[in-house]
């Protein structure tokens, strides 16, 4: 889509004449824009600056907002903020476009017509919305079925999200799901090896050598700026010590292109390669013996004769097998193994191609094995485990038999069913559709778009139709919102109080605090937290008792009081302040730079937040919570996953060069601009979908020239990629960035009906995904999808002929 | 000179929920001093225990000054060297305003209260070399005469370990004596390393508990209530006979833990003296110990009051009168009255600091060397300038 300033101004002027009902549709003039009583350019006035927090991704960077006449006109990074230290990624820079977006939802919308039709919504007021939702929820409580309420939320870690979780618990539902597909496999691997279900944090900045098994930590991390800064330190920020970076994967991603060496491998073979490298390290005795003796479990055979990791690696993951399966020459595997073992420390990273795209557990276990063998656990430059947040747990819930009974029911996605059962919106959708083990009557969706970006978008869309009440929180009309019964408009980050708790990529706790930059929001919008507080009030009884705060500012103030009582950390500040706090806390002291709750509050508002940079390394009781108190290598699990993978994919690894219809492996990835499935609405981001290769404004399909030749596909040609589940129209890109036999597609482009600035989608790559699941975990089997690719024009011509 | 009640120590130390907040604004505030250290640019040249610039000396690692006056004199005497270095590096000398110099000095002074992190490896070695392992168990080995030390909380504060040392002192001394061994003593930072080791092998019990420093007001009360005052004074009347050393005037320097270690070394003498007078060993909690140390620290920071009469002598002997006039009426240098009269000594010191570059230029023009001052001279001089100049 071409976009010009003149076009934009014309659209805005034309739209201003419209009337505000319903949502915009297609590229037609939005009627909502008439309500946006805001000229495109500010009228002038004094220049002021304010601090805020970026909410365009889970990173939560601190921002510095330049305002003219009280209106935000530019965002930059807050130089004191520990996540971004003054930097801001393109998503942050583009956040103003989200604020002034002509398609913003500026009042509650109620669906009155066909589900999914943008014209089926009519504006409503908050009283009407909350009254109806409150009555429906109250009925569920009266019927003793609180478990029939569900909440699906994204990976953002703000107070609104935390409060939503508290509401669910107080209401009495176990169905509080977080959609964070990219973190599920690493969290499960940590569960298996460390007894902690939380994705480990790579201490990238201090590593000596990083070996990434398709872990695209620069493309789609939870916090792009934090990871980019860490990578900068790893490469050139340590007084001349430059870390070495090897990337093994089937696509040369942005991350891979920053590596010293890209090792192309067959799709889905990351885990095998990691274990093959581990096998060499064991065979040659290169592992950290002292660490193995003190902290590893499962290395030697068990007393019952069960094979230990040593035997498993040497028998099942020999060089010949691994080389044949991965396509990596034997001498490369040997070299990488020796390099990794010699590094102090070496850091192995498992696969990650998106915030919302699942990865394989075997890949993450392979990386964990390498880190364990080389002693890279809880040391500087290894993998760390984030500690508990700075705030104490919520107060105990009041006695409430109805809620207690509801919370005791099984979760619909069965994530709590076993040690390694993954949280999965796909499983939630299946449970809703089957009405097993019970029927879901109401669903809140907050901070994610599971009907567009996720493991099973079509199943989720179908499931939504079966839920009598679906409430979506949104500020722009994504597909999930369009399928909902109610859309409750969220404020932009600059229109509301912010209390954000740092990204999952950070080992340190951070609390960002900011007051609204715009004192009057641009529409009749409310933060999700305010909605849940109001619903609790309307429900009354123990639910209201559990959420007693009159509003979010009061709750935030209460939380800062708890932060003060935690007696740790400090106001965010300069590098000296950081070093000072670390030094003090390492010695057991706390000298925070504030003396009262009031002073903490004021200083946080002045600087942007609070944090605790001290990390207590090698606190084994905290980071090794397994039954043995050791780092479990889990040979049993590895053997089983390997066996299952072999059963599922026999022959898959032999597919190179076989490019017939349905024979292509599919690799989905989230480009930085669209990571997490967000960003497609914003033109700045559409311009930089793949800045290295000038991909913009449309979906493209990367394919190796040899494979393309077999399929008779030309570069730039419109193609259709079709799997057993669905199809996508895209533009073919012939490139050696992908291995033969693979088609790689970006996720998150387009919106279902298009809008002012974004083209309507020509299909959704996520809809290609096969429904196959890893039997042990329920994780989507990323390698199971096969697809074919055909040129659209030539097919049409053939059909016509 | 600063009075006890005007001291700032609580503002840093009482960061807890019950802290009284900032006291007299003229006292200097170490919390604000930390900000001055960054904002005035000191951090560009100086580090504090490794954090910061490397051009000037590390202010957290040099010989520990024992009072406000000592720090102030060190800064004054260092002024020409600093000016030269700043000229060389084209750095602007910061002019300090309001209470900034007092804040800065108090920050630098109270750095000493807090321990540096010890060395775990050295601590492990000490635990064995000093014979602790003969009686205490750690990391699965050692004797069982004393309590096992690998069960303490990993997040235990230095104060809680120090208070355990103190409270178990009599029993331990008796046990050591009965076994024919000598009570181990600790030199320098050895006690820090030992504590670091014990904390590292401890068992995790919830979130780490970081200790803020104590309350000097409560510490002063405890000093009497716990009978410390029966033997020790803190800047007591020189004529008063004390059984133990005057803790204000003694050369007892270092962080809380280092002082706790020296108390430990001193333990046999102290115990026998207490036995002689029939005094029981007071039991001290970690908070008690922190408060008492805070009181001693505060008192030492204040130091002894300046003497305006002696200050007049310094004013004349150091040649101040040559430029500023015999009665501060001005001459080559600016008039000191009424500009300085009636202001606090710390304000006078700040005015001197800001005046230092101009003064240095004039001295160099006359081929005169910088006027160095001892801490006592500086205290007397600032007291004289603040209060002893004749009224207009």
């Amino acid at each position: 889509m071409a976009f010009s300033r003149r076009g934009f101004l014309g659209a805005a002027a034309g739209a201003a004449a419209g009337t505000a009902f319903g949502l915009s549709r297609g590229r037609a003039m939005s009627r909502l824009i008439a309500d946006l009583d805001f000229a495109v350019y500010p009228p002038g006035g004094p220049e002021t600056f304010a601090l805020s927090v970026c909410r365009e991704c889970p990173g939560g960077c601190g921002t510095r907002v330049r305002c003219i006449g009280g209106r935000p006109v530019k965002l930059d990074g807050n130089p004191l903020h520990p996540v971004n230290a003054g930097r801001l990624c393109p998503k942050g820079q583009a956040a103003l476009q989200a604020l002034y977006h002509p398609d913003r939802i500026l009042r509650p919308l109620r669906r009155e017509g066909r589900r999914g039709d943008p014209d089926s919504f009519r504006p409503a007021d908050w009283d009407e919305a909350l009254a109806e939702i409150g009555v429906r929820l109250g009925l569920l409580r009266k019927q003793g079925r609180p478990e029939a309420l569900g909440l699906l939320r994204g990976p953002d870690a703000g107070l609104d999200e935390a409060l939503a979780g508290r509401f669910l618990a107080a209401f009495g539902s176990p169905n509080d799901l977080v959609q964070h597909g990219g973190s599920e496999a690493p969290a499960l691997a940590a569960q298996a090896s460390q007894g902690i279900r939380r994705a480990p944090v790579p201490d990238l900045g201090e590593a000596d050598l990083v070996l990434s098994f398709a872990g695209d930590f620069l493309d789609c991390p939870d916090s792009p700026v934090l990871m980019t800064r860490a990578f900068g330190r790893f490469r050139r920020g340590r007084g001349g010590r430059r870390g070495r970076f090897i990337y093994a994967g089937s696509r040369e991603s942005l991350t891979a292109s920053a590596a010293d060496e890209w090792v192309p491998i067959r799709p889905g073979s990351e885990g095998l390669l990691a274990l093959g490298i581990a096998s060499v390290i064991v065979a040659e005795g290169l592992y950290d013996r002292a660490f193995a003796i003190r902290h590893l479990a499962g290395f030697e055979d068990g007393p019952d004769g069960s094979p230990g990791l040593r035997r498993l690696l040497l028998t099942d993951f020999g060089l010949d097998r691994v080389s044949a399966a991965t396509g990596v020459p034997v001498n490369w595997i040997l070299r990488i193994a020796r390099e990794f073992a010699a590094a102090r420390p070496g850091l192995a990273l498992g696969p990650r191609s998106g915030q919302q795209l699942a990865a394989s557990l075997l890949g993450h276990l392979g990386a964990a094995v390498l880190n364990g063998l080389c002693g890279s656990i809880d040391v500087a430059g290894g993998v760390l485990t984030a500690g508990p947040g700075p705030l104490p747990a919520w107060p105990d819930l009041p006695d409430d038999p109805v809620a207690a009974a509801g919370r005791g029911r099984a979760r619909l996605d069965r994530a709590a069913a076993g040690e390694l059962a993954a949280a999965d919106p796909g499983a939630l959708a299946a449970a809703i559709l089957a009405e097993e083990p019970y029927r879901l009557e109401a669903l809140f969706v907050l901070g994610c778009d599971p009907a567009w970006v996720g493991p099973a978008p079509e199943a989720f869309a179908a499931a939504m139709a079966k839920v009598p009440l679906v409430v979506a929180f949104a500020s722009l009309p994504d597909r999930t919102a369009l399928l909902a019964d109610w859309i409750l408009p969220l404020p932009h980050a600059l229109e509301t109080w912010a209390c954000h708790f740092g990204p999952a990529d950070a080992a340190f706790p951070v609390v960002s605090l900011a007051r609204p930059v715009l004192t009057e929001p641009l529409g009749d919008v409310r933060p999700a937290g305010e909605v849940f507080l109001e619903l609790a009030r309307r429900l009354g009884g123990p639910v209201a008792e559990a959420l007693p705060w009159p509003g979010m500012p009061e709750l935030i103030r209460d939380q800062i009081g708890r932060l003060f009582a935690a007696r740790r950390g400090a106001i965010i500040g300069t590098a000296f302040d950081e070093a000072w706090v670390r030094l003090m806390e390492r010695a057991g002291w706390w000298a925070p730079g504030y003396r009262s709750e009031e002073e903490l509050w004021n200083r946080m508002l002045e600087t942007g937040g609070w944090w605790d940079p001290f990390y207590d390394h090698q606190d084994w009781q905290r980071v090794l919570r397994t039954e043995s108190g050791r780092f479990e290598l889990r040979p049993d699990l590895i053997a089983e996953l390997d066996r299952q993978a072999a059963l599922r994919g026999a022959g898959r690894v032999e597919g190179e060069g076989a490019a017939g219809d349905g024979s292509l492996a599919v690799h989905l990835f989230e480009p930085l601009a669209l990571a997490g499935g967000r960003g497609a609405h914003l033109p700045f981001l559409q311009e930089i979908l793949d800045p290295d290769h000038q991909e913009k404004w449309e979906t493209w399909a990367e394919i190796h020239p040899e494979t393309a030749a077999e399929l008779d596909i030309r570069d730039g040609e419109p193609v259709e990629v079709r799997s057993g589940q669905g199809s996508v129209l895209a533009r073919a890109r012939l490139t050696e960035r992908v291995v033969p036999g693979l088609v790689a597609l970006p996720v998150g482009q387009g919106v279902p009906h298009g809008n002012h600035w974004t083209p309507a989608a020509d299909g959704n790559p996520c809809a290609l995904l096969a429904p196959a699941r890893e039997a042990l975990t329920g994780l989507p089997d990323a390698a199971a999808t096969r697809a074919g690719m055909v040129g659209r024009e030539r097919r049409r011509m053939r059909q016509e002929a | 000179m600063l009075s006890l009640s005007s001291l700032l120590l609580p503002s840093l130390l009482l960061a807890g929920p019950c802290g009284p907040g900032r006291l007299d604004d003229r006292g200097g505030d170490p919390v604000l001093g930390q900000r001055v250290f960054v904002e005035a640019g000191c951090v560009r040249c100086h580090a504090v225990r490794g954090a910061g610039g490397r051009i000037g000396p590390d202010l957290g690692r040099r010989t520990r000054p024992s009072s406000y006056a000592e720090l102030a004199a060190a800064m004054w005497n260092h002024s020409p060297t600093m000016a030269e270095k700043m000229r060389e590096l084209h750095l602007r000398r910061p002019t300090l305003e309001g209470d900034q110099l007092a804040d800065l000095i108090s920050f630098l002074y109270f750095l000493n209260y807090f321990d540096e992190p010890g060395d775990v490896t050295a601590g492990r070695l000490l635990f064995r070399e000093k014979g602790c392992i003969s009686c205490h168990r750690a990391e699965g080995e050692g004797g069982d005469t004393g309590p096992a030390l690998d069960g303490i909380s990993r997040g235990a504060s230095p104060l809680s370990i120090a208070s355990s040392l103190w409270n178990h002192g009599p029993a331990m001394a008796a046990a050591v004596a009965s076994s024919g061994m000598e009570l181990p003593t600790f030199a320098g930072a050895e006690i820090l390393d030992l504590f670091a080791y014990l904390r590292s092998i401890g068992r995790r019990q919830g979130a780490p508990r970081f200790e803020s420093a104590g309350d000097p007001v409560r510490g002063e009360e405890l000093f009497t209530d716990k009978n410390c005052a029966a033997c020790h004074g803190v800047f007591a009347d020189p004529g008063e006979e004390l059984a133990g050393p005057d803790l204000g005037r003694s050369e007892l320097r270092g962080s809380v833990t280092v002082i706790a270690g020296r108390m430990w070394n001193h333990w046999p003498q102290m115990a026998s003296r207490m036995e002689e007078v029939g005094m029981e060993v007071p039991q001290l909690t970690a908070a008690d110990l922190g408060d008492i140390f805070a009181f001693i620290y505060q008192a030492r920071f204040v130091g002894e009051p300046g003497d305006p009469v002696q200050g007049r002598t310094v004013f004349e002997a150091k040649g101040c009168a040559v430029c500023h006039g015999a009665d501060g009426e001005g001459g080559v240098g600016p008039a000191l009255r009424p500009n300085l009269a009636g202001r606090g000594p710390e304000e006078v010191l700040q005015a001197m600091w800001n005046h230092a570059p101009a003064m240095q230029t004039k001295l160099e023009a006359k081929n005169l060397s910088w006027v160095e001052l001892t801490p006592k001279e500086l205290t007397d001089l600032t007291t004289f300038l603040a209060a002893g100049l004749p009224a207009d």
Side-chain angles (χ1 to χ4, degrees):
Chain A
M1 170 188 167
F3 178 79
S4 68
R5 179 169 168 240
R6 176 181 294 180
F8 170 70
L9 290 173
T19 317
F21 300 108
L23 287 164
S24 64
R25 181 173 187 139
R27 307 282 304 282
M29 215 59 82
S30 166
R31 286 168 293 183
L32 274 183
I33 196 170
D35 259 10
L36 195 67
D37 184 19
F38 231 71
V40 174
Y41 293 105
E47 179 189 45
T48 54
F49 291 89
L51 296 180
S52 190
V53 183
C54 179
R55 300 301 303 270
E56 296 300 310
C57 81
C61 290
T63 53
R64 183 169 176 269
V65 189
R66 179 171 176 252
C67 302
I68 299 289
R71 184 174 313 162
V73 296
K74 178 75 171 76
L75 293 179
D76 286 303
N78 173 357
L80 297 180
H81 202 279
V83 171
N84 55 318
R87 285 79 162 178
L88 202 60
C89 79
K91 297 184 91 159
Q93 300 279 355
L96 282 184
Q97 291 189 327
L99 174 69
Y100 300 124
H101 202 293
D103 295 300
R104 262 192 75 180
I105 303 167
L106 297 171
R107 61 182 58 180
L109 297 173
R110 177 192 192 126
R111 185 176 61 81
E112 293 194 330
R114 194 169 55 83
R115 204 179 275 275
D117 180 355
D119 288 336
S120 67
F121 287 89
R122 73 158 176 83
D125 62 35
W126 278 99
D127 266 348
E128 181 191 349
L130 293 168
E132 180 179 322
I133 297 165
V135 166
R136 305 272 289 266
L137 296 187
L139 200 60
L140 285 182
R141 292 264 309 174
K142 275 190 191 138
Q143 293 168 345
R145 295 196 298 143
E147 71 276 7
L149 171 66
L151 165 67
L152 183 60
R153 50 187 167 123
D156 280 14
L159 196 54
D160 289 277
E161 288 77 10
L163 188 73
R166 168 98 174 156
F167 178 86
L168 258 278
F171 188 83
S173 171
N175 293 307
D176 174 13
L177 277 73
V178 176
Q179 181 178 333
H180 198 186
S183 290
E184 276 300 311
L188 291 181
Q191 171 76 45
S193 55
Q194 295 178 248
I196 298 171
R197 187 155 178 170
R198 176 170 184 157
V201 179
D203 191 7
L204 189 63
E206 302 303 323
D208 187 25
L209 183 148
V210 170
L211 177 53
S212 172
F213 296 95
D216 289 338
F217 57 85
L218 295 178
D219 294 63
C220 48
D222 278 358
S223 173
V225 183
L226 185 71
M227 291 307 270
T228 307
R229 285 177 58 216
F231 187 70
R233 179 167 171 76
F234 165 70
R235 289 298 234 180
R236 54 181 165 74
R238 298 176 295 179
R241 181 177 146 221
R242 184 178 192 270
R244 179 162 158 71
F245 176 29
I246 302 172
Y247 181 98
S250 47
R251 175 177 180 265
E252 190 193 1
S253 60
L254 177 72
T255 307
S257 66
D260 293 302
E261 188 177 355
W262 170 40
V263 181
I265 63 173
R266 292 204 172 98
S269 64
E270 298 89 4
L272 270 180
L273 180 61
L275 292 164
I277 291 170
S279 176
V280 174
I281 289 173
V282 169
E284 298 192 356
L286 302 176
Y287 58 94
D288 183 336
R289 286 167 196 272
F291 186 83
I293 291 167
R294 288 172 74 93
H295 299 298
L296 291 185
F299 187 54
E300 303 294 354
D301 290 352
D304 57 352
S306 57
L309 185 82
R310 179 202 293 272
R311 179 142 68 99
L312 181 72
L313 289 178
L314 297 180
T315 54
D316 289 9
F317 296 92
L319 279 172
D320 290 342
R321 180 199 168 198
V322 170
S323 177
T326 61
V328 180
V330 166
N331 58 344
W332 284 32
I333 299 174
L334 283 167
R335 176 176 56 78
I336 293 169
R338 290 166 188 160
E339 262 194 80
F340 186 77
R344 283 293 174 270
L347 173 62
L349 302 173
R352 179 185 176 100
S353 56
Q355 288 172 19
Q356 296 294 5
L357 296 170
S360 88
L361 179 57
L362 191 63
H364 281 276
L365 279 176
V369 161
L370 280 172
N371 289 325
L373 286 175
C374 294
S376 300
I377 306 299
D378 217 45
V379 294
V383 284
L384 307 180
T385 302
L391 306 175
W394 293 100
D396 287 341
L397 291 168
D399 279 342
D400 179 2
V402 174
R407 288 194 300 271
R409 299 294 304 271
R411 229 171 85 151
L412 283 174
D413 71 337
R414 302 177 56 77
E419 179 206 3
L420 295 175
D424 178 13
L428 174 67
I432 293 171
L433 288 167
E435 298 186 1
E436 289 292 341
Y438 48 83
R439 182 176 154 83
L440 194 72
E441 301 286 352
L443 175 66
F444 289 108
V445 183
L446 170 63
C448 55
D449 184 8
W452 189 250
V453 176
E458 294 311 313
F460 201 90
M464 287 176 73
K466 288 204 72 166
V467 181
L469 175 65
V470 178
V471 179
F473 293 90
S475 59
L476 287 162
D478 58 31
R479 187 184 187 208
T480 304
L482 294 178
L483 291 168
D485 299 291
W486 279 96
I487 305 177
L488 303 185
L490 290 173
H492 189 273
L494 301 180
E495 296 173 324
T496 182
W497 280 91
C499 182
H500 191 269
F501 306 123
D505 297 330
F508 52 82
V510 53
V511 180
S512 305
L513 178 68
R515 53 166 64 95
V517 175
L518 278 168
T519 45
E520 287 296 324
L522 302 187
D524 189 10
V525 294
R526 289 192 191 180
E530 295 284 5
V531 172
F532 286 109
L533 288 175
E534 177 58 27
L535 286 174
R537 270 192 293 276
R538 286 173 186 255
L539 288 165
V543 182
E545 209 181 310
L547 285 83
W549 303 276
M552 286 305 285
E554 291 80 3
L555 172 59
I556 293 172
R557 190 60 195 248
D558 179 70
Q559 296 287 303
I560 300 306
R562 290 160 180 273
L563 184 62
F564 180 74
R567 296 173 60 81
R568 57 182 285 207
I571 298 293
I572 63 176
T574 61
F576 171 78
D577 297 320
E578 175 185 345
W580 168 249
V581 175
R582 278 209 178 109
L583 195 72
M584 286 284 104
E585 293 197 355
R586 192 149 68 86
W589 294 103
W590 183 57
Y594 50 84
R595 290 150 290 207
S596 64
E597 199 180 311
E598 184 72 21
E599 193 174 358
L600 170 62
W601 172 263
N602 290 331
R603 295 270 293 138
M604 284 180 75
L605 287 173
E606 276 169 27
T607 60
W610 169 102
W611 74 318
D612 189 349
F614 172 62
Y615 186 91
D616 191 11
H617 290 102
Q618 300 182 342
D619 182 357
W620 301 120
Q621 278 179 297
R622 184 178 73 80
V623 301
L624 299 181
R625 306 264 280 279
T626 54
E627 216 167 276
S628 62
R630 287 167 166 255
F631 188 88
E632 293 279 354
L633 294 168
R634 296 303 298 266
D636 56 326
L637 191 55
I638 290 170
E640 179 59 21
L641 287 168
D642 185 40
R643 191 183 68 80
Q644 287 183 13
L647 283 177
R648 282 198 311 271
R652 181 187 303 156
V653 293
E654 293 158 13
E656 184 179 330
D661 195 33
S663 67
L664 296 174
V666 176
H667 175 77
L668 301 187
F669 61 94
E670 292 175 9
L672 176 63
L674 302 176
R678 301 192 241 188
H681 291 273
L682 308 182
F684 277 0
L685 300 180
Q686 289 285 352
E687 280 289 324
I688 54 163
L689 295 181
D690 185 345
D692 277 357
H693 300 84
Q694 295 294 303
E695 301 294 356
K696 50 181 78 172
W697 292 103
E698 63 184 359
T699 299
W700 69 99
E702 294 174 5
I703 188 165
H704 194 277
E706 288 172 16
T707 312
E710 289 175 35
L711 295 172
D712 194 19
I713 301 279
R714 292 170 201 164
D715 190 37
E717 180 179 5
V719 293
E720 180 180 4
V721 181
R722 178 178 290 279
S723 77
Q725 305 304 307
S727 70
V728 179
L729 304 183
R731 190 170 300 280
R733 289 293 178 219
L734 274 54
T735 171
E736 293 188 350
R737 298 167 70 193
V738 294
V739 297
L742 180 79
V743 56
L745 293 144
V747 162
Q749 168 61 322
V751 287
H753 299 279
N755 60 35
H756 265 84
W757 288 343
T758 310
D762 287 332
N764 177 9
C766 285
L768 297 175
L769 290 171
R773 294 286 191 274
E774 279 186 0
L776 209 58
T777 60
L779 278 171
D781 181 6
T785 305
R786 314 299 274 184
M789 179 192 274
V790 291
R792 284 156 61 193
E793 284 303 310
R794 268 172 294 155
R795 186 173 69 162
R796 186 180 58 78
M797 286 164 63
R798 274 202 300 271
Q799 283 170 348
E800 284 173 4
Chain B
M1 188 37 90
L2 303 169
S3 69
L4 188 74
S5 64
S6 75
L7 261 189
L8 22 109
L9 184 56
S11 57
L12 172 64
L13 305 184
L14 293 183
C18 303
R22 186 167 179 192
L23 298 183
D24 189 323
D25 281 346
R26 294 178 60 198
D29 181 331
V31 171
L32 296 179
Q34 183 186 337
R35 287 181 220 163
V36 174
F37 187 75
V38 174
E39 288 163 12
C42 315
V43 71
R44 293 172 66 183
C45 295
H46 293 284
V48 171
R49 297 178 185 171
R54 293 181 182 174
I55 297 165
D58 186 325
L59 301 178
R61 289 201 172 125
R62 50 189 322 195
T63 309
R64 292 171 184 277
S66 66
S67 69
Y68 173 93
E70 204 169 294
L71 257 165
M75 283 181 71
W76 175 258
N77 295 337
H78 166 64
S79 183
T81 318
M82 183 172 129
E84 192 182 329
K85 195 72 189 172
M86 293 183 86
R87 266 200 302 268
E88 193 182 312
L89 297 170
H90 305 288
L91 294 173
R92 193 177 57 83
R93 181 188 168 99
T95 299
L96 301 174
E97 295 167 351
D99 297 328
Q100 284 187 322
L101 185 64
D103 293 341
L104 182 63
I105 290 178
S106 62
F107 166 63
L108 296 174
Y109 173 77
F110 289 114
L111 282 176
N112 300 331
Y113 181 95
F114 302 104
D115 304 295
E116 288 192 57
D119 180 337
V120 173
T121 312
R124 179 179 282 120
L125 205 62
L126 280 169
F127 189 76
R128 283 147 182 82
E129 282 178 354
K130 296 279 179 184
C132 314
I133 199 165
S134 311
C135 298
H136 297 283
R137 195 169 180 77
E139 294 189 283
E141 52 176 323
D144 53 9
T145 315
L149 295 182
D150 50 7
I152 64 169
S153 168
R154 181 179 174 93
S157 72
L159 279 175
S160 68
I161 301 179
S163 76
S164 299
L165 262 185
W166 172 268
N167 293 331
H168 292 304
M172 195 148 96
V176 168
S178 70
S179 66
M181 293 167 61
E182 280 193 16
L183 201 62
T185 58
F186 301 99
E190 286 181 339
I191 194 87
L192 285 179
D193 297 338
L194 187 69
F195 279 15
Y197 168 61
L198 293 178
R199 295 177 78 233
S200 76
I201 61 170
R203 297 188 68 76
R204 163 66 62 211
Q205 292 165 1
R209 175 80 180 167
F210 302 111
E211 202 72 52
S212 56
D215 172 356
V217 178
R218 181 169 176 268
E220 186 177 19
E221 291 164 10
L222 284 170
F223 196 75
T224 306
D225 295 348
K226 296 286 183 181
N227 279 331
C228 313
C231 299
H232 298 285
V234 177
F235 292 110
D237 188 331
E240 191 180 338
E241 274 197 29
L242 297 170
D246 185 315
L247 300 178
R249 295 194 178 94
S250 74
E251 285 301 304
L252 195 62
R253 296 183 182 203
S255 69
V256 165
T257 311
V258 170
I259 294 175
R262 293 184 65 176
M263 282 167 62
W264 170 258
N265 294 342
H266 178 53
W267 181 252
Q269 290 163 270
M270 199 152 59
S272 63
R273 180 69 185 155
M274 289 169 92
E275 201 177 328
E276 273 173 42
V277 298
M279 189 186 291
E280 280 192 12
V281 177
Q283 293 292 296
L284 298 174
T285 64
D288 293 343
L289 206 58
D291 293 344
I292 291 171
F293 282 140
F295 161 59
I296 296 169
Y297 249 78
Q298 175 178 293
R300 290 164 66 90
F301 179 66
V302 176
E304 301 199 60
D307 179 347
V309 178
Q310 290 293 320
R312 168 111 225 168
T313 311
V314 173
F315 186 73
E316 286 162 3
K318 292 288 178 179
C320 314
V322 173
C323 293
H324 294 285
D327 287 321
E329 69 276 14
V332 179
L336 303 181
R337 66 186 164 92
N339 300 341
L340 296 180
R343 294 164 76 173
E346 62 276 22
E347 287 179 273
V348 172
L349 179 66
Q350 180 159 289
M352 286 170 64
W353 171 263
N354 289 335
H355 171 59
M359 180 171 144
Q360 190 179 352
T361 308
K362 286 183 178 164
L363 286 170
E364 282 170 359
K366 294 187 170 198
N367 209 18
L368 294 172
S369 56
W370 184 249
V371 180
E372 296 214 340
L373 296 167
T374 66
K376 172 86 171 70
E377 286 169 343
L378 188 76
T379 307
D380 292 342
L381 179 63
T382 52
T383 307
F384 162 68
L385 294 175
L389 284 171
D392 281 315

